[in-house]
Structure formats: C-alpha cells, structure tokens
C-alpha cells in the first residue's frame, strides 16, 4: 500500500483579497466618518496602499479591511501591515500579503512533527511548502490536529490530502 500524504502550505487566494479590498473601498465611500478626509485603499503594485489625512482615519481603514478579510476566511497572519507614515499632508499604511512558508518556518514545523507527532511520519520541505507522509491516515489526522492546536506566526492550510 502506498503512503498517504498531505501538503502544508501558506497560500492566500488573490481574488478573495481583491473582493475584501473592493468591499472596504465601498464602505469607505459610504461611511460618514470617512467623508472629506481623502480616505482610500487600493493596490499599489504588489502592496496594498491605505491613505487618509489623519493617523486615526488610516488606522480605521486598516481595521475595516481586516474585518473584511476575516469575513472572507483569510487569516490576518498573512497580512503584514506597516506603521502609519506621514507623507506630505497624508498618512499612509503599506500592507503586503505574505504567502509561502519560509525555510526556517518549514524546519520548525517539521521538527514539531518529528518530536511530537506519531512515529513513522515523514516531513519533507519542498520549496515553500511541506509534504507530510505516512502509511497510516490516522497518523496524518493526528499531525493535522497537532498543528492546528499550535499558534504559529504564519497561516497554515492543509491541502492535497490523499
């Protein structure tokens, strides 16, 4: 019998981020407290740019955007938002969407699987994802529940379970 396996990845669906951004933009356009403050949110290359005429307003835009991401099922661990910066007369926040598991983080996860997971589990780093395999599907379920119980500083998804 062949080994069963699954992949641990950290991916974000770009379309869902786009939808959250568009919803945030609509809410900013409609809300009274954002009238005449130059509030906006938009893509700036690969980054998301939020701007307004005060630090409180630009933080409020970030807060609205975060709530829209949560409603769309995107982990806030994948959103890396900077501090508000004064640029001319406007405050700006640049945010990026983090994807992929770094080599260091993949090694940490693999070590946790080896140390605390059931015996006979193999974890291999493959680029920006981690392949976990075992002869027993029950052991794989145990590893998934073990990792879900941990609090990592990056988002994890479990895909290609077979």
């Amino acid at each position: 019998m062949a080994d069963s396996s699954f992949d641990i990845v950290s991916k974000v669906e770009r379309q869902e981020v786009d939808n959250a951004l568009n919803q945030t933009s609509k809410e900013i356009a409609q809300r009274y407290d954002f009238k005449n403050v130059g509030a906006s949110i938009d893509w700036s290359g690969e980054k998301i740019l939020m701007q307004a005429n005060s630090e409180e307003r630009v933080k409020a835009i970030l807060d609205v955007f975060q709530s829209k991401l949560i409603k769309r099922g995107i982990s806030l661990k994948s959103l890396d938002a900077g501090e508000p910066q004064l640029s001319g007369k406007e405050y700006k926040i640049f945010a990026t969407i983090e994807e992929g598991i770094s080599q260091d983080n993949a090694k940490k996860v693999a070590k946790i699987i080896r140390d605390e997971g059931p015996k006979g589990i193999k974890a291999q780093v493959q680029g920006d994802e981690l392949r976990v395999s075992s002869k027993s599907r029950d052991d794989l379920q145990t590893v998934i529940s073990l990792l879900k119980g941990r609090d990592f500083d990056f988002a994890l998804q479990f895909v290609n379970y077979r």
Side-chain angles (χ1 to χ4, degrees), residues 127-160:
D128 61 352
E129 56 186 48
L130 191 68
R131 165 82 38 97
V132 180
S133 58
S134 171
K135 294 209 179 301
S136 166
R137 286 179 168 245
D138 291 341
D139 288 350
L140 293 179
Q141 292 289 345
T142 305
V143 169
I144 289 175
S145 61
L146 169 76
L147 294 177
K148 281 186 177 178
R150 287 298 179 98
D151 186 32
F152 294 104
D153 56 350
F154 52 95
L156 290 180
Q157 292 90 30
F158 306 99
V159 296
N160 296 338

Side-chain angles (χ1 to χ4, degrees), residues 54-121:
S54 74
E55 188 173 351
E56 293 77 29
R57 291 287 179 255
V58 79
K59 285 182 177 178
I61 294 170
L62 177 61
D63 192 45
V64 171
F65 183 55
Q66 288 175 335
S67 70
K68 299 299 181 192
L69 286 174
I70 291 170
K71 285 181 182 173
R72 296 213 150 267
I74 297 173
S75 172
L76 291 183
K77 292 177 182 177
S78 60
L79 178 70
D80 182 23
E83 290 298 313
Q85 301 168 340
L86 183 60
S87 172
K89 292 184 177 181
E90 290 193 324
Y91 283 87
K92 296 180 178 185
I93 293 180
F94 286 99
T96 56
I97 302 295
E98 301 288 326
E99 286 194 302
I101 302 175
S102 70
Q103 291 289 331
D104 292 342
N105 288 336
K107 287 178 184 174
K108 286 180 196 171
V109 173
K111 182 170 175 19
I112 289 170
I113 292 170
R114 274 194 313 275
D115 294 348
E116 300 177 28
K119 299 293 175 218
I121 294 278

Side-chain angles (χ1 to χ4, degrees), residues 9-27:
V9 297
S10 182
K11 290 196 173 24
V12 176
E13 199 169 320
R14 174 81 179 216
Q15 187 60 49
E16 290 297 328
V17 175
D18 231 12
N19 292 342
L21 192 131
N22 290 335
Q23 286 178 337
T24 304
S25 185
K26 285 180 184 175
E27 186 169 324

